[in-house]
Amino acid sequence: MHTITFRELCDWMKGQVLPYTVLLAIGQGNPPRVVNQATGMLLSTGSAEMLVTCGHVYDKFVELRKSDPTTRLAMSGAEGKGFIDISPAVVLGKESDPDLATLAIPRSDANGVGKAHAGFPEWPLPRAKPGMIGYLIGYPGQLIIVTHESASKPIMELVRPVVPVSERHFVLHDESGDAVQTYAENAPTVTELRGISGCAVWLYDKQSNPPAFFLGGFAYQARGLETVLVVHADFINADGSIH
């Protein structure tokens, strides 16, 4: 049986995951200037259509809006499409621990800017196990170029093995020094992972027959470039509430 390489995993997963992945930008003023950014994922459980990101990302938006009423939360569209203002979106769930937030984003809004919801007819999803391979794609702040009218959306892909798994989270960590990270063409090398909060982490289970890919969780903290902490996706209920 062919064992997939990290590079093959990245190439295949990018095409599968990018349509559901969005850059989240917190902007202020008119014209808006970006003051903070993160990543999110659009998904549908069959019971709700939602955007998932980290609780601390939404908390930052609320904090900044209190001091400046021009503050807006925007979601990126596909390449060549603009951002849409999702500030009025209904919050389905938000917690600090687990660090998750879910916002009601209708399929029509996402489709209007070339994005889609990943469909999950069965929910909740299985949990990570040590030895699985984690893949994420997101928008590190170092790669984003902001002008008065727009923000570029260069992506970064990162592959790390799953090491410790606990009730609260699991950890992606490069223990052997052979993990992979790739960047958009002509993008500078990333030296910190600020901006990947809310990245969906997809897992490759090479031990299953056939090998399986599934959504495992959402990145909420990075320690250097080697370690990413990921909250389990199954803390999210099918209706978007969080337990």
Side-chain angles (χ1 to χ4, degrees):
M1 179 181 295
H2 172 65
T3 300
I4 194 169
T5 66
F6 282 170
R7 184 62 263 167
E8 289 171 329
L9 175 63
C10 283
D11 290 343
W12 186 84
M13 286 300 293
K14 180 179 178 181
Q16 300 296 310
V17 174
L18 192 56
Y20 319 127
T21 304
V22 296
L23 167 62
L24 298 177
I26 301 175
Q28 292 181 324
N30 187 18
R33 58 184 180 85
V34 176
V35 296
N36 212 316
Q37 73 282 319
T39 304
M41 177 193 169
L42 294 160
L43 65 85
S44 172
T45 64
S47 299
E49 296 174 346
M50 69 188 84
L51 167 74
V52 181
T53 189
C54 288
H56 75 262
V57 171
Y58 194 79
D59 285 343
K60 187 66 175 179
F61 161 61
V62 173
E63 173 193 335
L64 291 171
R65 187 171 55 178
K66 286 180 179 178
S67 59
D68 184 342
T70 70
T71 303
R72 296 289 183 268
L73 178 63
M75 182 186 89
S76 69
E79 192 64 34
K81 301 284 187 177
F83 285 71
I84 58 172
D85 183 0
I86 60 170
S87 305
V90 173
V91 178
L92 301 175
K94 192 201 73 66
E95 297 289 341
S96 298
D97 188 8
D99 191 352
L100 288 166
T102 53
L103 308 180
I105 303 294
R107 191 178 302 269
S108 56
D109 287 357
N111 293 167
V113 289
K115 288 293 183 176
H117 289 65
F120 296 95
E122 295 185 8
W123 195 272
L125 300 170
R127 283 198 163 191
K129 295 180 181 179
M132 291 181 177
I133 301 299
Y135 169 92
L136 65 82
I137 184 171
Y139 302 95
Q142 285 182 306
L143 297 185
I144 297 172
I145 301 172
V146 179
T147 69
H148 288 300
E149 298 179 349
S150 65
S152 64
K153 302 185 286 288
I155 59 171
M156 172 184 174
E157 299 169 275
L158 182 148
V159 178
R160 300 280 186 274
V162 176
V163 279
V165 178
S166 71
E167 174 60 29
R168 182 170 177 266
H169 65 207
F170 62 95
V171 180
L172 305 181
H173 179 65
D174 180 16
E175 294 182 310
S176 60
D178 60 359
V180 168
Q181 56 201 48
T182 64
Y183 311 96
E185 187 176 357
N186 298 323
T189 300
V190 169
T191 57
E192 61 180 23
L193 296 179
R194 183 178 60 85
I196 69 163
S197 292
C199 280
V201 175
W202 298 79
L203 297 171
Y204 170 55
D205 182 4
K206 60 185 178 182
Q207 301 300 325
S208 66
N209 188 17
F213 293 90
F214 63 95
L215 174 64
F218 296 87
Y220 70 93
Q221 185 180 340
R223 296 174 180 172
L225 293 176
E226 292 75 29
T227 304
V228 179
L229 307 185
V230 187
V231 63
H232 297 291
D234 70 357
F235 282 118
I236 302 170
N237 298 316
D239 64 358
S241 60
I242 298 167
H243 67 278

